[in-house]
Structure formats: structure tokens, C-alpha cells
Amino acid sequence: MNLDDMYRETILDHNQMPRNKGTLARPTHTVGLLNPTCGDSIRIDVLIEDGKVADIRFDGQGCAISMASASMLTQAVKGRTVDEALNLARDFKQFLLGQDPNRDLGELAALEGVSHFPSRVKCATLAHNALQKALSEGGGEPPR
Ligand code: ZN
């Protein structure tokens, strides 16, 4: 299996069996974002306790890239501190813009191919933008 196939498998796997899909009963932070270019819509619920991401869920609908990216992101930031989660979101966005993240992005690296398609970068970064917005602004009522 070459790297491309492995990456494709990872994206398909997260798309078919999304991790942390759903909503939280009592999120401390929640944000909904739309990507009108593709029609993706994502809501992120986060529960911050003691400065850490104690729990996180995403909900919504969209293309395989947006859903797989959200699934991988929730998995990657669970248990991390707020700063670590924000740094990961920032590094991933830089990575998709072709910059070297200087760190291991874990499964999120499977989305590398997206960087060759600027129109799809918005799909892959939608959940990351929602997380950044939620953690920096605290959210508010998400769109239903
Ligand atoms: Zn999309």
C-alpha cells in the first residue's frame, strides 16, 4: 500500500465512522460554521475543564473531506490543553497552505493532498476554524 492509498483509507475510514460525532449536553464553548463554496456545515461543541479539552463533539453535514477532517480534529485535541488545541488548528492550516508544520500532525497529515486543491482547503479547515472561533470567542448559540 503506498502513501496515497493509506491516506485515502484514513479519510474514508473517518468519513464512514466519524469519531466524536454528535452534540454535548453542556458544552462550555460552541460554534457553528458554514462553508458556502461547498455547502459544508459544521457545529463544534467543546467542554473545557481545568484548561483542557475534556470533551468535544462535532455535528453537521458536508463533503467527505470536511467530515473526515472534523473527525480527525476532535480526536487529536481531546485531552489537550486549550493552547495545544489552538496551536494544532493553526499548524494544520499552515500545513495546508504548504508550510512545514515542524510537528507531527498525526492522522490529519492524511489531508495533505487537499493542499493541491485550494477550493477544497476550506472544506478541510472548516472544523479547525470553528474550533479556533469557539475557543477564542466562547461561541454563543450555534445555527440549527
Ligand atoms: Zn466540502
Side-chain angles (χ1 to χ4, degrees), residues 24 26-30 45-57 79-80 82 135:
L24 291 176
R26 289 207 175 91
T28 51
H29 300 69
T30 182
D45 283 1
V46 193
L47 176 67
I48 301 294
E49 276 175 0
D50 299 329
K52 284 189 174 176
V53 180
D55 210 352
I56 181 166
R57 296 275 192 286
R80 305 282 190 99
V82 169
L135 295 184

Side-chain angles (χ1 to χ4, degrees), residues 15-142:
N15 192 44
Q16 284 163 1
M17 286 182 295
R19 323 298 201 265
N20 306 307
K21 185 111 193 278
T23 55
L24 291 176
R26 289 207 175 91
T28 51
H29 300 69
T30 182
V31 153
L33 275 190
L34 296 171
N35 170 21
T37 353
C38 180
D40 310 315
S41 133
I42 285 181
R43 169 184 160 173
I44 300 252
D45 283 1
V46 193
L47 176 67
I48 301 294
E49 276 175 0
D50 299 329
K52 284 189 174 176
V53 180
D55 210 352
I56 181 166
R57 296 275 192 286
F58 81 96
D59 206 1
Q61 50 200 352
C63 64
I65 291 171
S66 66
M67 293 296 114
S69 178
S71 172
M72 291 179 199
L73 173 70
T74 56
Q75 220 175 18
V77 300
K78 208 167 177 176
R80 305 282 190 99
T81 66
V82 169
D83 279 349
E84 284 169 345
L86 286 171
N87 286 342
L88 179 76
R90 187 201 57 207
D91 288 351
F92 176 71
K93 283 161 64 174
Q94 287 178 345
F95 170 67
L96 283 193
L97 294 174
Q99 292 164 28
D100 185 355
N102 287 318
R103 66 184 285 173
D104 183 9
L105 290 170
E107 286 192 317
L108 284 165
L111 292 161
E112 184 183 16
V114 174
S115 64
H116 304 299
F117 303 94
S119 63
R120 307 310 297 276
V121 167
K122 282 183 185 170
C123 302
T125 57
L126 187 63
H128 297 71
N129 287 332
L131 179 71
Q132 286 179 316
K133 198 169 188 312
L135 295 184
S136 54
E137 294 175 12
E141 269 303 293

